[in-house]
Amino acid sequence: MEAESTENAIETRGLTKRFGRFTAVDSLDLEIARGEIYGLLGPNGAGKTTTIKMLCGLLKTTDGRAQVAGMPAGDRRASADIGYMPQEVALYEGLTVHQNIRFFGRVFGLSGRQTDEREEELLEFVNLAEWRDVLVARLSGGMKHRVSLTCALVHSPALLLLDEPTVGVDPELRVSFWDYFTRIKGRGRTIVITTHYMDEARRCDRIGFMRDGRLIAEGTVPEIQSLAGKEDLEDAFMVLAERSEGGEAA
Amino acid sequence: MRSPRFLTVTSRVFKELRNDRRTLALIVIAPVFAMFVFGLAFSGEVHDVPLIVVNQDQGAAPVPGAAIVSISGKIIANLDTKTLSISTESDPAKARSDIEDGDAYGALVFPEGFTASVVSEPSGATTSIELLLDKSNINVATAITQAVNEALLETMDQAGEKPPVTVDMVAVFGQNAKFMDFFVPGIMAFTVYLITTLLTLITFVGERTSGTLQRMLATTLSERDIVMGYAVTFSLIGMGQALLLLIIAILVFDISVVGNVLLAFLVIALLAVVSQAMGILLSSTARREAQAIQVLPFVVLPAFLLSGIFWPIEAIPSWLRPLSYLVPPTYAVDASRAVMLKGWGVSEIWIDIVALLAMAAFFLTLAVFSLKTRKD
């Protein structure tokens, strides 16, 4: 293996994904440091989910390379360090909350007791302790999202890949999610998160704007604001998107 | 020591089934239902076939001056009343029209002077009776013909007449075997094959559409772990079903089992492994749960018709027969039948076991591969 910087949790070079003639992700270069919260922003179809899926090894890359947790993306040894929360709920509806969490805990090699301890702590945090023995099928959409997040966190992964974790979650809980993210970041965890909410972007250490599979701007929020000359992130995105298109035309 | 990772999948699938009463009911009730439906409907014997007897014979004295006897009456008395439901009629034309109207399947007509002609004919000459048959239903027509023939032989035997040649049947296997004895291994294999394939197919399409499959694949579980986890689950369920079927077959249908039942279970478990691998494989052709139903005819029909459950493979046209050997239940039916009816052991059925093992290896590999190719 080539010598890679061990500082970074994620490094990609020219990462590309094509589905037939459609290019979903177009030579993406990312460097995400350990202990960083990185937000991937952009409209639907920008390539955020495809990027996340390549990083956790669910999609093969067409071109370029990606290092995740010090290993090539898709290497199963890296999986133990990754907590992936997909966009869709992706839970066993026929199992209870507890049974779902237990399954994902066991899959990552946790003992029954370890899983139970983590479960108690996490259900307290997502406010679902009373729903422990209820079938997931009976829960509301927002509750399912919270259980899904719990399943991604159960094995205390060093790197979290969260695909729109706050969709359908009420504002109050969204705030507590972010408090939690900041807290575990303090313990050296890296979090990559995709989101539509610009207010959430402000809580990221750095954000990357994606459009048509490409990273059109990257930096801290103040950096992005000054780059675009706009205070509002949504306006900033529009300006940067236009600029990138102009650059293409030139 | 930590148990193998695939067992987490096994235990999860079992929990899902335990929570899901409907599916649990399918697993338990379907075999029971299948056994009763097949067992009662296909008892293999024809009963109570309406047959009209027209006896115009008046009887005759065997030697002049002796008492009058009626050979036709004796034959009628010897007709098997379990197979036949006999009514009498005096007019042959009326009997014929009854058959034409569908009120009877056959009519047996003894002509006038039948006994006289039998008694007076020199030996070697023959006298005939007429049997009108509705041959549009072959099974029933055959049953009537057989019953009439048996009654004739019986009557000759009572009269001390012997046919010139007789056949002595010696049962090498299956002494006192009934049709159900032959049928039960087939029902076992078919039910387990069908339910296992269906259940895996539906469960796995669910895993694909809900995103849980992707989620599992993003963990430390490998494609092989997932397939293995499912294989263990469904082979255990398959064995449970086989056990249930066998208990009903023995208690209710009174079948006799000669050989080692455990060996038959092993064969059925192998079939379940092959079936679940096929289910996973087929699930890759369906994008929604509803689409899974479209593959159903291709799962059910070949097994139903070609695997020797209802009729022997020898009864399948020779050009079609190679296909029989591509259908997994064929080997399980053959092997479990040989074990249960003939008492054969591994040394005799090893070819079936090898075939099932090869199919299991083949389909399991393909199933694992089908999960991998989703990553493109």
Side-chain angles (χ1 to χ4, degrees), chain B residues 254-266:
Chain B
D254 190 31
I255 68 156
S256 47
V257 179
V258 186
N260 183 354
V261 173
L262 278 180
L263 188 56
F265 278 162
L266 184 82

Side-chain angles (χ1 to χ4, degrees), chain A residues 221-237:
Chain A
V221 173
E223 277 169 7
I224 295 280
Q225 283 166 332
S226 71
L227 193 65
K230 295 278 178 190
E231 179 71 16
D232 184 79
L233 278 176
E234 224 147 306
D235 295 341
F237 177 79

Side-chain angles (χ1 to χ4, degrees), chain A residues 17 19 53 56-60 74 76-77 79-80 82 84-86 88-96 99-100 102-104 106-111 135 147-152, chain B residues 2-3 5-20 206-225 230 372-376:
Chain A
K17 180 68 195 180
F19 296 103
K53 283 194 174 170
C56 59
L58 287 175
L59 281 172
K60 278 183 191 153
R76 215 165 282 287
R77 284 168 299 172
S79 306
I82 299 176
Y84 165 59
M85 174 180 174
E88 62 270 38
V89 168
L91 294 172
Y92 295 98
E93 301 252 329
L95 293 182
T96 64
Q99 288 169 331
N100 267 286
R102 170 66 77 102
F103 172 63
F104 285 104
R106 301 289 300 201
V107 155
F108 282 107
L110 266 59
S111 72
L135 288 184
V147 178
S148 177
L149 178 65
T150 309
C151 291
Chain B
R2 241 188 76 74
S3 51
R5 222 161 268 259
F6 66 81
L7 286 181
T8 57
V9 177
T10 303
S11 117
R12 193 213 76 220
V13 181
F14 270 120
K15 276 183 199 154
E16 273 185 291
L17 293 174
R18 209 177 55 198
N19 291 352
D20 180 4
E207 293 256 25
R208 284 179 193 279
T209 51
S210 70
T212 47
L213 176 63
Q214 291 240 309
R215 191 169 202 156
M216 275 200 286
L217 288 173
T219 68
T220 45
L221 283 177
S222 65
E223 290 85 352
R224 218 180 49 194
D225 289 331
Y230 265 80
K372 285 194 168 161
T373 52
R374 296 285 289 191
K375 287 190 181 182
D376 277 325

Side-chain angles (χ1 to χ4, degrees), chain B residues 49-57 71-80 84-99 104-112 114 127-134 141 143-153 155:
Chain B
V49 178
L51 175 78
I52 300 168
V53 172
V54 182
N55 194 359
Q56 298 173 309
D57 178 33
I71 294 178
S72 58
K74 281 183 180 156
I75 294 172
I76 293 166
N78 282 329
L79 284 171
D80 177 4
L84 303 172
S85 159
I86 298 165
S87 59
T88 51
E89 178 61 58
S90 52
D91 179 9
K94 173 75 173 57
R96 193 187 175 98
S97 77
D98 277 353
I99 297 174
Y105 278 106
L108 185 60
V109 182
F110 293 91
E112 254 175 78
F114 171 70
T127 308
S128 63
I129 46 182
E130 198 177 20
L131 183 60
L132 302 172
L133 279 177
D134 171 2
I144 295 175
T145 315
Q146 198 184 343
V148 170
N149 278 328
E150 273 167 14
L152 283 176
L153 284 174
T155 313

Side-chain angles (χ1 to χ4, degrees), chain A residues 15-32:
Chain A
L15 185 66
T16 302
K17 180 68 195 180
R18 277 188 287 272
F19 296 103
R21 293 174 63 189
F22 172 70
T23 305
V25 173
D26 195 358
S27 48
L28 193 68
D29 295 335
L30 283 178
E31 277 185 26
I32 299 170

